[in-house]
Amino acid sequence: KGIEMKRKTFHCVTAALLGLALTAFLLLLGTSVPARAGSNVHCVNQAGTNCAAVCGGGCYASVQAAVDGAFAGHEIRIAAGIYTAPGGTVAVVAKPLTLRGGYGQSCGDDDFDPGLHQTVLDAQWGGSVISITNAGDVTLQHLTLTHGDGQGNCPGWPGSCGGGIYASGTNLYVGQCVVTDNVGGVVGGANGGGIYAYANGHHVEIWESRIVNNTAALSTTVSSEYGNGGGIYIYQGTASLWANEVADNVGGVNHGGSGGIHLRNVAQANVLTNTIRGNKGCLSIYYGSGGGLIVESYSVGVYAAGNRIENNRAGSLAGLGGGVNVGESDVHLARNTIVGNTTGAVGGDGGGVYILSDRPVTLSNNLIARNIAPNSGGGVYATLGGAPGSQALLVNNTIVDNGFSGIVADQYAVLTVTNNIVAGHTVGITETAPASITIIADHNLFWNGFDPIVGSNVIHADPLLTADYHLGIGSPAEDAGVTVPWLTDDLAGDSRPQGGGYDIGAYEGTRSEVFLPLVMRNY
C-alpha cells in the first residue's frame, strides 16, 4: 500500500513538472496559454457562447442576464453588436458594476478595440436604455446608448427623465460613450434627454463622451411642458464633466427649456474642456433658458473652464442666455471661448452670458464674441431683482462684436469690470436703471460706437486684435492692465504677465497677424 501511494505521488509530480515544462516551452515559442479570468468577469456576445476561456463568470446573450448573474463589483464585458431587450430597457442595474463595450466576440483582453468593435444598446423607445437605482458605484465605458425614452421615470413634475441613462442614488461614471437619439419623455415635461442623474449625496463623472442629438421633452402639446437638459441634467450632488462633446441637443420642442447641460442645486461641479455646440433650449415661441449651459437653483462651487461654447440658442424666437445662463448660483467661468450664440431670432437677453444671481459670479479670461441678443446684452447681461448680497466680477475678458451692446447691467446689478476689452458694439456698457445699479470699471479698453460708461484709467483706442482675437503688434492693451494677483495665466494657459505689466483682455502677449476689423467709434 505504501509503495502504491509513492507511485501515485511520483506520477502526479511528474505530470505537474511536465505541465510546467510545456508551459515554459510554449512561452519560449511566443505562444501563451489562454488565461481564464476570475469569476468576477462576465461576457455578453451575440451567441452567448465561446467566451469561457477568458470570462470565468460565464457567457450571456443578453446584457440583463449578465447583470443579474453578476455580483457587486463585477465587470461585464459586452462584445460588438446591437443589443435590445423585450421590455425596452436594456439593463436595469441595482448593484455596483462596470459595463464595458468595445470587445470582440471572445471578450478577451487581446480583443479589446472600441474603434473596431462597436457595442450598441438600443432600447427601441421602450424605456431608458440603462436604468440605475441605489447601485453604489456604476461605470459605463465604450457603449453607444440609443433610442431610449424616460417616460414616467420621475414621478411628479416634470414627470419623465433620463432617456439614455437614468441614475438615482448612485455614483455614476460614464467614459468614452456615445449617448444619442434619446428622449426624456414624449408626453408632458421632462428632464435629461441623454443623461439624467439625481445625485443627492453622490458624484457624477462624465468624460470623453459624445452626448448628441437628444431631446428632453418631445411633447408638442400647448402647455407648461418644459424640457430641461436636452443633453445632460444633474440634480444635486457633485459632478465632473470633462472633454465631452455635447452637441445638437434640444430642451423642449414646444415649451421652454435648456439645451446642452443643466446643473441644478449641485454642491460642487467642474465643467472642463468640453465642446458645447449647436444646442437649443426651446424650438417653439416660448422662452428658453441656457442654450449651451445653465447653472441654477443655488448651485455652489461651479467651475466651468476651458470649454468651447458655440452656436447654441436659448429659444427659437427669444430666450435668456444663448451660451450660458447663471441663476442664483456661485459660478466661475474661466478661459472659455463663448462665440456665435444667440437668445433667439427676435428677442431675449444675454447672447453670450446671462446672469441673474445674488451669489458670486466671476468671469475671467473668457473670449465672448459674435453672440446675439436682440433685446440687450449681446455679450453679457447681468440683473438682480433686489438689493444684492454679492456682485459679478469681470476680469481680463475680451468682449467683442456682440451686436448692439457689449455689457448690460439691469435692476440691482453690481458689476466690477477690470482689464477687459469691450469693442465692436454700438454701445459698450449700458445700464437700464442707474439709481439702483453699481458699476465699478477700472483699466478697461473701449472701442465702440458709443461708450457712456468707462470708469477710471480707461483706454479709448482700437485694440488692434488679430483674426483670432489676440493682441496684435502695437496694441494699446499691451502692459496696460492692473495686476490681479490671483489671475496668473490667460485664455491659452500662458502665464501673466509676460512684459512690464498685465495685458488687457483674455490673451497675454501680442501676435503679428492680420488685424480683425471692428466697428468704428462715432465721435
Side-chain angles (χ1 to χ4, degrees), residues 107-179:
C107 296
D109 291 336
D110 59 350
D111 202 14
F112 174 70
D113 187 343
L116 178 63
H117 304 305
Q118 186 179 16
T119 302
V120 179
L121 310 187
D122 187 341
Q124 299 179 302
W125 307 115
S128 300
V129 181
I130 296 180
S131 179
I132 308 167
T133 306
N134 300 328
D137 295 344
V138 173
T139 300
L140 309 175
Q141 281 187 282
H142 303 295
L143 301 169
T144 295
L145 311 178
T146 190
H147 298 153
D149 177 3
Q151 189 68 41
N153 274 346
C154 298
W157 188 90
S160 301
C161 56
I165 300 170
Y166 168 82
S168 176
T170 297
N171 295 317
L172 176 65
Y173 303 90
V174 180
Q176 298 95 24
C177 287
V178 177
V179 182

Side-chain angles (χ1 to χ4, degrees), residues 257-417:
S258 57
I261 300 172
H262 193 126
L263 304 179
R264 181 186 180 200
N265 194 216
V266 297
Q268 186 274 330
N270 290 319
V271 183
L272 309 174
T273 66
N274 301 281
T275 297
I276 305 171
R277 176 189 295 125
N279 302 285
K280 301 175 180 64
C282 178
L283 297 184
S284 77
I285 62 174
Y286 293 94
Y287 263 71
S289 296
L293 168 67
I294 181 170
V295 183
E296 56 103 14
S297 192
Y298 306 105
S299 294
V300 297
V302 177
Y303 183 61
N307 302 286
R308 187 169 185 88
I309 303 172
E310 64 179 350
N311 299 333
N312 301 286
R313 189 175 74 194
S316 179
L317 297 181
L320 303 174
V324 180
N325 184 308
V326 178
E328 302 295 354
S329 296
D330 169 11
V331 178
H332 186 175
L333 301 174
R335 303 193 312 277
N336 300 289
T337 299
I338 304 172
V339 296
N341 304 284
T342 181
T343 59
V346 299
D349 302 317
V353 180
Y354 178 89
I355 302 169
L356 172 60
S357 180
D358 60 0
R359 300 188 173 210
V361 178
T362 300
L363 279 67
S364 65
N365 286 333
N366 299 286
L367 172 61
I368 303 173
R370 306 192 306 276
N371 302 285
I372 299 173
N375 283 4
S376 59
V380 178
Y381 184 97
T383 183
L384 290 170
S390 61
Q391 62 184 10
L393 175 64
L394 281 66
V395 178
N396 277 101
N397 301 284
T398 297
I399 303 171
V400 295
D401 295 339
N402 297 290
F404 181 80
S405 51
I407 300 172
V408 171
D410 183 34
Q411 295 185 354
Y412 287 84
V414 175
L415 296 181
T416 300
V417 185

Side-chain angles (χ1 to χ4, degrees), residues 483-508:
T483 298
V484 182
W486 57 268
L487 193 66
T488 58
D489 59 7
D490 72 350
L491 173 55
D494 296 327
S495 62
R496 289 186 188 272
Q498 292 187 19
Y502 273 50
D503 292 346
I504 294 175
Y507 290 106
E508 185 79 11

